C-alpha cells in the first residue's frame, strides 16, 4: 500500500469526499448511539431540528456561527501564505477589549458613529496584537506558531485582570452586587449593533459584516497584486525574494490583516450579543481554536469559511439543545468530535491517493 500525492485534484472529488466523510461520521455515530441505547434516527432528527428547522433554531445558529466566521477568516488569511496564526483566540479578546473601551468612551454619540468606531477599534486591537508575532517572524525568524499561541494566554489573563482583579474603567463598580460579583460595564444603547428580522430569522449586523468581509478577502487574494505576491511567497519565499518582492513587509501585513479580522469578531461579540466585556463567556467559548478547524475544512476559501462556520454553528447549537438528563454532555461532544474528525480525515483523500500493488512472485531463473 502506497500513499501518493495527487498531481491534479478533480472537481468531483472536492464534493464527493466531504459528503462521504459526513456519511462515515454518521455511521460511526449510529454505532455509538446504539451502544448507549439511544435511537439513532430520533437523535439525528432532533439534531437537525435543533440546528436548522426548529422554532428560532436558525437565529441561534447564526449567533454561534458569526464568531466562528470571523476567526475562520482570520486563520484562512494567514494560512494561505503558510503563516500559522494560532493567536486568533487572543486577537478576538483584544478586539473585544478595545471595542468595549471605545463604546464606553463614546456614550451619547450617534449610534452609526459608535458602531463604526467599535469596528475600527476592534480591528486595530487585533492587528496590534498580531503584529508582535508578525515582527518576530519577519525580522527574527521566530516561529509564529509558538508566539501567537502564547499570547492567547497573556491576553486571557489580562482580560480577567480588567474585570475580576482590578477596578478598571471597563469594570462595573456601581452598587453592592457589582462589587461582590464582578462584571463588565453594560455598553450604552448607542453601541448595540443593528439586526434585521426576516420571517422570524434575526440577522445580526456582525453576520452581514462577516459575509462582506469574505467577499472582500476573496477579491484581495484573487484579483490584486497583493494576493498574487502572497501566493508566490507562500509557495516559495526564496522565489519571492528573487523576484524583488518584499517578503518581510508581506509577512507583517498578512499577520496584521489576520489579527484585524479576528479583532473585528471580538467587537462583534460586544455589540451584537454580549453588550459588555464578558471574560468568562469569551474564554469558555474557544472561538479562536474552533476557527482553525473551520479554515481547514474550508480549504482556506473565504466563501467556504462562511458556509462551514454556519454548519459548525448549527452543530454547536444542536449540541446545547440535545444536552439533558437522558443525553449527557459527553455524548454530545463525542458526536461533534466524530463529525469533525471524519471531515478533516477525508481531506487526506483530496490531496493524496492510496494505491494497492500486488507483490509479484519472483520469476525462476532458467537453468544453465
Amino acid at each position: 500500500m502506497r500513499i501518493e500525492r495527487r498531481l491534479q485534484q478533480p472537481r468531483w472529488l472536492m464534493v464527493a469526499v466531504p459528503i462521504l466523510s459526513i456519511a462515515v461520521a454518521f455511521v460511526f455515530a449510529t454505532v455509538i448511539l446504539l451502544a448507549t441505547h439511544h435511537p439513532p434516527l430520533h437523535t439525528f432528527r432532533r439534531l437537525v431540528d435543533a440546528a436548522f428547522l426548529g422554532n428560532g433554531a436558525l437565529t441561534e445558529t447564526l449567533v454561534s456561527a458569526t464568531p466562528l466566521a470571523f476567526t475562520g477568516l482570520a486563520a484562512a488569511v494567514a494560512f494561505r501564505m503558510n503563516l500559522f496564526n494560532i493567536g486568533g483566540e487572543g486577537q478576538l479578546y483584544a478586539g473585544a477589549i478595545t471595542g468595549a473601551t471605545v463604546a464606553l468612551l463614546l456614550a451619547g454619540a450617534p449610534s452609526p458613529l459608535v458602531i463604526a468606531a467599535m469596528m475600527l477599534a476592534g480591528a486595530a486591537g487585533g492587528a496590534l496584537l498580531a503584529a508582535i508575532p508578525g515582527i518576530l517572524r519577519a525580522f527574527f525568524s521566530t516561529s509564529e506558531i509558538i508566539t501567537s499561541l502564547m499570547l492567547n494566554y497573556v491576553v486571557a489573563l489580562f482580560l480577567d485582570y480588567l474585570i475580576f482583579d482590578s477596578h478598571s474603567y471597563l469594570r462595573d463598580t456601581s452598587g453592592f452586587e457589582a462589587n461582590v460579583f464582578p462584571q463588565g460595564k453594560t455598553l450604552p444603547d448607542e453601541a448595540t449593533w443593528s439586526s434585521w428580522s426576516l420571517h422570524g430569522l434575526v440577522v445580526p449586523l456582525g453576520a452581514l459584516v462577516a459575509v462582506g468581509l469574505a467577499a472582500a478577502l476573496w477579491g484581495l487574494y484573487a484579483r490584486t497584486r497583493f494576493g498574487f505576491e502572497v501566493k508566490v511567497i507562500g509557495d516559495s519565499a526564496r522565489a519571492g525574494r528573487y523576484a524583488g518582492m518584499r517578503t518581510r513587509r508581506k509577512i507583517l501585513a498578512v499577520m496584521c490583516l489576520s489579527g484585524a479580522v479576528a479583532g473585528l469578531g471580538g467587537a462583534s461579540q460586544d455589540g451584537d450579543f454580549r453588550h459588555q466585556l464578558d471574560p468568562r463567556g469569551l474564554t469558555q467559548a474557544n472561538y479562536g481554536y474552533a476557527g482553525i478547524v473551520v479554515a481547514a475544512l474550508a480549504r482556506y476559501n473565504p466563501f467556504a469559511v462562511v458556509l462551514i462556520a454556519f454548519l459548525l454553528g448549527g452543530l454547536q447549537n444542536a449540541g446545547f439543545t440535545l444536552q439533558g438528563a437522558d443525553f449527557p454532555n459527553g455524548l454530545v461532544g463525542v458526536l461533534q468530535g466524530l463529525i469533525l474528525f471524519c471531515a478533516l480525515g477525508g481531506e487526506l483523500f483530496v490531496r493524496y491517493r492510496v494505491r494497492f500493488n500486488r507483490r509479484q512472485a519472483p520469476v525462476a531463473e532458467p537453468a544453465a
Side-chain angles (χ1 to χ4, degrees):
M1 183 181 71
R2 292 189 305 170
I3 298 178
E4 299 177 350
R5 188 175 184 88
R6 295 182 185 271
L7 298 180
Q8 293 182 348
Q9 297 176 352
R11 292 196 174 184
W12 65 267
L13 205 62
M14 304 290 187
V15 179
V17 167
I19 294 176
L20 290 176
S21 299
I22 298 299
V24 171
F26 276 100
V27 170
F28 288 150
T30 299
V31 174
I32 291 177
L33 289 172
L34 290 174
T36 54
H37 308 290
H38 291 87
L41 292 179
H42 177 66
T43 302
F44 293 148
R45 190 181 301 112
R46 289 180 60 193
L47 188 72
V48 174
D49 287 342
F52 306 111
L53 302 179
N55 186 22
L58 278 179
T59 298
E60 293 300 323
T61 294
L62 274 181
V63 171
S64 300
T66 299
L68 296 179
F70 281 110
T71 53
L73 289 171
V77 164
F79 289 178
R80 291 188 67 164
M81 194 181 172
N82 283 333
L83 289 174
F84 298 97
N85 179 20
I86 314 298
E89 184 83 4
Q91 291 147 22
L92 183 136
Y93 300 161
I97 293 172
T98 53
T101 302
V102 167
L104 291 172
L105 290 174
L106 294 180
S111 183
L113 176 63
V114 177
I115 294 173
M118 289 178 68
M119 291 183 181
L120 292 175
L128 287 175
L129 186 65
I132 298 174
I135 292 172
L136 294 175
R137 172 69 172 82
F139 295 95
F140 301 98
S141 298
T142 305
S143 172
E144 73 279 4
I145 298 175
I146 298 175
T147 52
S148 61
L149 178 62
M150 292 298 101
L151 282 174
N152 290 342
Y153 300 100
V154 174
V155 183
L157 291 172
F158 180 67
L159 184 61
D160 284 342
Y161 171 78
L162 288 175
I163 303 301
F164 299 114
D165 300 321
S166 69
H167 293 279
S168 69
Y169 177 72
L170 296 170
R171 176 178 172 177
D172 185 6
T173 57
S174 58
F176 174 77
E177 184 177 354
N179 288 322
V180 176
F181 303 101
Q183 60 182 2
K185 289 180 180 177
T186 302
L187 300 184
D189 294 337
E190 298 84 8
T192 301
W193 291 20
S194 305
S195 61
W196 295 267
S197 180
L198 301 173
H199 303 289
L201 171 64
V202 179
V203 181
L205 176 61
L208 298 179
V209 171
V211 174
L213 192 59
L217 290 173
W218 178 86
L220 177 67
Y221 275 86
R223 294 290 185 268
T224 65
R225 177 180 175 180
F226 176 86
F228 173 75
E229 292 185 354
V230 164
K231 182 179 180 180
V232 171
I233 295 172
D235 291 338
S236 174
R238 181 178 297 180
R241 286 192 296 267
Y242 182 79
M245 299 177 184
R246 298 177 177 178
T247 57
R248 290 180 175 177
R249 290 189 180 183
K250 289 296 181 298
I251 290 172
L252 186 56
V254 168
M255 286 296 292
C256 288
L257 178 60
S258 176
V261 174
L264 186 56
S268 169
Q269 284 293 295
D270 293 336
D272 273 320
F273 311 116
R274 302 182 186 276
H275 308 297
Q276 62 177 193
L277 189 61
D278 181 16
R280 292 287 168 80
L282 290 173
T283 54
Q284 291 175 1
N286 293 321
Y287 292 129
Y289 302 114
I292 298 173
V293 177
V294 171
L297 288 174
R299 302 189 190 98
Y300 317 140
N301 182 297
F303 292 118
V305 164
V306 175
L307 177 61
I308 296 298
F310 179 75
L311 297 177
L312 190 57
L315 184 62
Q316 289 186 351
N317 180 36
F320 297 142
T321 306
L322 286 178
Q323 291 179 23
D326 60 333
F327 209 93
N329 182 29
L331 187 56
V332 172
V334 169
L335 296 181
Q336 293 175 338
L338 274 176
I339 294 174
L340 294 177
F341 179 80
C342 291
L344 287 172
E347 294 297 306
L348 173 70
F349 299 99
V350 175
R351 297 181 175 90
Y352 300 89
R353 62 163 55 92
V354 180
R355 286 189 179 275
F356 295 92
N357 296 327
R358 291 183 178 181
R359 181 176 298 177
Q360 296 180 354
V363 179
E365 296 182 0

